[in-house]
Amino acid sequence: MLYLLPAYLSENSPADYFAPTIKDIIMNVDHYFVENEKTARKVIKFFAPEKKQPELKLFLLDKYSETSDLKEAQKLMKEGVDFGLLSEAGLPCIGDPGNIMVGWSHKNNIKVIPVNGPSSFVLALIASGFNGQQFSFNGYLAIEKDKKKKEIQHLENLVEKTGFTQIFMETPYRNNPLFEDLTKFLNPNTKLCIAANINDPETEFIKTKTINDWKKEKPELHKIPAVFLIGK
């Protein structure tokens, strides 16, 4: 079986935010696909501090991985060894390459079990006040300035034409430049929600304002996990 396990969105998330079954699974599974080994070990320790870390067998699964790079893990799975799949934050396979092994598992008749947990963009959506019936998750925007400008304005036009909420993210150390671009390229009356440090009881920040109002209150978002939403 392949368990799709959630990771916390914040290291300060209360443990009771999560289903007890997560600990049970981790205690019984030693093999994992992970996006980042250091993060994965911290997540495993968070959920199951008594789990013996030397017993863990971690297989790196990042954006450069291909199924051909994971032959050892695939062989073990075909032999009946259970695996867990961990993202760096939130649910796997959203904004990360976990789908590589999920797709392979389906093709090879290996049962895939998604386990309940937080998704940053879903939590941001329901807290935004925007349309939650119709929305699009756009992942990461372009880095190059002109392309990013076109993408931002395209998303704004989609909101105006369709009413669909448009959701996107950025690498945390580029959040402040993205905020500057949003206030520069979006219309003053366009509504923007910023959801940062979701699930952190002390520093969680979720606000929806017009661009005109955001220009009066610039948030500090450097190296802080955040989700951005344009909507009505």
mmCIF file of all heavy atoms in Angstrom, residues 19 41-42 68 74 112 118 160 162 181 190 203 206 217-218 223 227:
data_model
loop_
_atom_site.group_PDB
_atom_site.id
_atom_site.type_symbol
_atom_site.label_atom_id
_atom_site.label_comp_id
_atom_site.label_asym_id
_atom_site.label_seq_id
_atom_site.Cartn_x
_atom_site.Cartn_y
_atom_site.Cartn_z
ATOM 1 N N ALA A 19 -5.490 13.658 12.704
ATOM 2 C CA ALA A 19 -6.137 12.390 13.051
ATOM 3 C C ALA A 19 -5.126 11.449 13.720
ATOM 4 O O ALA A 19 -3.977 11.347 13.278
ATOM 5 C CB ALA A 19 -6.703 11.740 11.798
ATOM 6 N N ARG A 41 12.030 13.772 8.347
ATOM 7 C CA ARG A 41 12.372 13.225 9.659
ATOM 8 C C ARG A 41 11.735 14.047 10.783
ATOM 9 O O ARG A 41 11.280 13.504 11.808
ATOM 10 C CB ARG A 41 13.897 13.156 9.830
ATOM 11 C CG ARG A 41 14.542 12.093 8.955
ATOM 12 C CD ARG A 41 16.024 11.942 9.245
ATOM 13 N NE ARG A 41 16.640 10.925 8.401
ATOM 14 C CZ ARG A 41 16.597 9.608 8.637
ATOM 15 N NH1 ARG A 41 15.981 9.161 9.731
ATOM 16 N NH2 ARG A 41 17.178 8.768 7.819
ATOM 17 N N LYS A 42 11.662 15.367 10.603
ATOM 18 C CA LYS A 42 11.033 16.228 11.606
ATOM 19 C C LYS A 42 9.533 15.966 11.678
ATOM 20 O O LYS A 42 8.944 15.937 12.766
ATOM 21 C CB LYS A 42 11.304 17.693 11.278
ATOM 22 C CG LYS A 42 12.747 18.119 11.509
ATOM 23 C CD LYS A 42 13.024 19.519 10.992
ATOM 24 C CE LYS A 42 12.317 20.574 11.791
ATOM 25 N NZ LYS A 42 12.676 21.942 11.347
ATOM 26 N N SER A 68 12.088 5.802 -13.165
ATOM 27 C CA SER A 68 13.265 4.959 -13.404
ATOM 28 C C SER A 68 14.332 5.144 -12.325
ATOM 29 O O SER A 68 15.203 4.293 -12.138
ATOM 30 C CB SER A 68 13.872 5.273 -14.778
ATOM 31 O OG SER A 68 14.254 6.637 -14.865
ATOM 32 N N GLN A 74 10.342 0.616 -6.067
ATOM 33 C CA GLN A 74 9.286 -0.055 -6.842
ATOM 34 C C GLN A 74 9.336 -1.566 -6.640
ATOM 35 O O GLN A 74 8.295 -2.224 -6.503
ATOM 36 C CB GLN A 74 9.431 0.297 -8.314
ATOM 37 C CG GLN A 74 9.136 1.759 -8.618
ATOM 38 C CD GLN A 74 9.645 2.183 -9.985
ATOM 39 O OE1 GLN A 74 10.265 1.402 -10.700
ATOM 40 N NE2 GLN A 74 9.396 3.421 -10.341
ATOM 41 N N VAL A 112 -3.692 2.791 -3.130
ATOM 42 C CA VAL A 112 -3.311 4.135 -2.707
ATOM 43 C C VAL A 112 -4.312 4.605 -1.652
ATOM 44 O O VAL A 112 -5.525 4.573 -1.891
ATOM 45 C CB VAL A 112 -3.292 5.108 -3.897
ATOM 46 C CG1 VAL A 112 -2.990 6.524 -3.422
ATOM 47 C CG2 VAL A 112 -2.261 4.662 -4.939
ATOM 48 N N PRO A 118 -4.152 18.759 6.501
ATOM 49 C CA PRO A 118 -4.353 20.129 6.026
ATOM 50 C C PRO A 118 -3.804 20.355 4.621
ATOM 51 O O PRO A 118 -2.791 19.787 4.232
ATOM 52 C CB PRO A 118 -3.559 20.953 7.038
ATOM 53 C CG PRO A 118 -2.444 20.045 7.444
ATOM 54 C CD PRO A 118 -3.038 18.663 7.458
ATOM 55 N N GLU A 160 -12.628 38.404 -13.189
ATOM 56 C CA GLU A 160 -13.648 39.338 -13.670
ATOM 57 C C GLU A 160 -14.628 38.665 -14.622
ATOM 58 O O GLU A 160 -15.839 38.896 -14.562
ATOM 59 C CB GLU A 160 -12.979 40.532 -14.364
ATOM 60 C CG GLU A 160 -12.275 41.479 -13.423
ATOM 61 C CD GLU A 160 -13.224 42.062 -12.380
ATOM 62 O OE1 GLU A 160 -14.336 42.488 -12.752
ATOM 63 O OE2 GLU A 160 -12.860 42.058 -11.191
ATOM 64 N N THR A 162 -15.173 35.207 -15.097
ATOM 65 C CA THR A 162 -15.797 33.956 -14.690
ATOM 66 C C THR A 162 -16.268 33.929 -13.247
ATOM 67 O O THR A 162 -17.136 33.130 -12.888
ATOM 68 C CB THR A 162 -14.818 32.780 -14.880
ATOM 69 O OG1 THR A 162 -13.738 32.894 -13.938
ATOM 70 C CG2 THR A 162 -14.250 32.758 -16.297
ATOM 71 N N ASP A 181 4.696 43.148 -6.798
ATOM 72 C CA ASP A 181 4.185 43.013 -8.167
ATOM 73 C C ASP A 181 2.659 42.995 -8.190
ATOM 74 O O ASP A 181 2.032 43.576 -9.088
ATOM 75 C CB ASP A 181 4.724 41.735 -8.814
ATOM 76 C CG ASP A 181 6.197 41.838 -9.151
ATOM 77 O OD1 ASP A 181 6.700 42.966 -9.297
ATOM 78 O OD2 ASP A 181 6.854 40.785 -9.260
ATOM 79 N N THR A 190 -9.360 45.497 -7.098
ATOM 80 C CA THR A 190 -9.292 44.028 -7.085
ATOM 81 C C THR A 190 -9.020 43.536 -5.664
ATOM 82 O O THR A 190 -8.195 44.096 -4.947
ATOM 83 C CB THR A 190 -8.180 43.535 -8.035
ATOM 84 O OG1 THR A 190 -8.550 43.844 -9.377
ATOM 85 C CG2 THR A 190 -7.957 42.035 -7.900
ATOM 86 N N THR A 203 1.090 33.008 14.971
ATOM 87 C CA THR A 203 1.459 33.961 13.904
ATOM 88 C C THR A 203 0.611 33.840 12.643
ATOM 89 O O THR A 203 0.913 34.494 11.645
ATOM 90 C CB THR A 203 2.941 33.778 13.526
ATOM 91 O OG1 THR A 203 3.136 32.452 13.008
ATOM 92 C CG2 THR A 203 3.836 33.982 14.738
ATOM 93 N N ILE A 206 -4.335 35.841 8.039
ATOM 94 C CA ILE A 206 -5.231 35.677 6.890
ATOM 95 C C ILE A 206 -6.084 36.928 6.772
ATOM 96 O O ILE A 206 -6.907 37.223 7.649
ATOM 97 C CB ILE A 206 -6.139 34.437 7.044
ATOM 98 C CG1 ILE A 206 -5.310 33.174 7.266
ATOM 99 C CG2 ILE A 206 -7.024 34.275 5.800
ATOM 100 C CD1 ILE A 206 -6.145 31.926 7.539
ATOM 101 N N GLU A 217 -1.030 48.920 3.919
ATOM 102 C CA GLU A 217 -0.589 47.990 4.970
ATOM 103 C C GLU A 217 0.247 46.876 4.347
ATOM 104 O O GLU A 217 -0.250 45.811 4.006
ATOM 105 C CB GLU A 217 -1.784 47.368 5.700
ATOM 106 C CG GLU A 217 -1.377 46.426 6.831
ATOM 107 C CD GLU A 217 -2.565 45.649 7.390
ATOM 108 O OE1 GLU A 217 -3.706 45.970 7.069
ATOM 109 O OE2 GLU A 217 -2.313 44.703 8.148
ATOM 110 N N LYS A 218 1.519 47.126 4.196
ATOM 111 C CA LYS A 218 2.402 46.151 3.580
ATOM 112 C C LYS A 218 2.799 45.085 4.601
ATOM 113 O O LYS A 218 3.464 45.389 5.591
ATOM 114 C CB LYS A 218 3.645 46.843 3.039
ATOM 115 C CG LYS A 218 4.643 45.888 2.406
ATOM 116 C CD LYS A 218 5.876 46.619 1.912
ATOM 117 C CE LYS A 218 6.898 45.643 1.363
ATOM 118 N NZ LYS A 218 8.128 46.331 0.883
ATOM 119 N N LYS A 223 10.261 34.756 3.707
ATOM 120 C CA LYS A 223 10.519 33.404 4.228
ATOM 121 C C LYS A 223 9.363 32.863 5.075
ATOM 122 O O LYS A 223 9.560 31.972 5.904
ATOM 123 C CB LYS A 223 11.829 33.380 5.030
ATOM 124 C CG LYS A 223 13.067 33.572 4.149
ATOM 125 C CD LYS A 223 14.333 33.347 4.935
ATOM 126 C CE LYS A 223 15.573 33.452 4.033
ATOM 127 N NZ LYS A 223 16.827 33.234 4.770
ATOM 128 N N VAL A 227 -0.095 31.748 0.926
ATOM 129 C CA VAL A 227 -0.936 31.473 -0.234
ATOM 130 C C VAL A 227 -1.603 32.774 -0.627
ATOM 131 O O VAL A 227 -2.028 33.557 0.249
ATOM 132 C CB VAL A 227 -2.005 30.404 0.093
ATOM 133 C CG1 VAL A 227 -2.880 30.131 -1.111
ATOM 134 C CG2 VAL A 227 -1.341 29.120 0.574
#
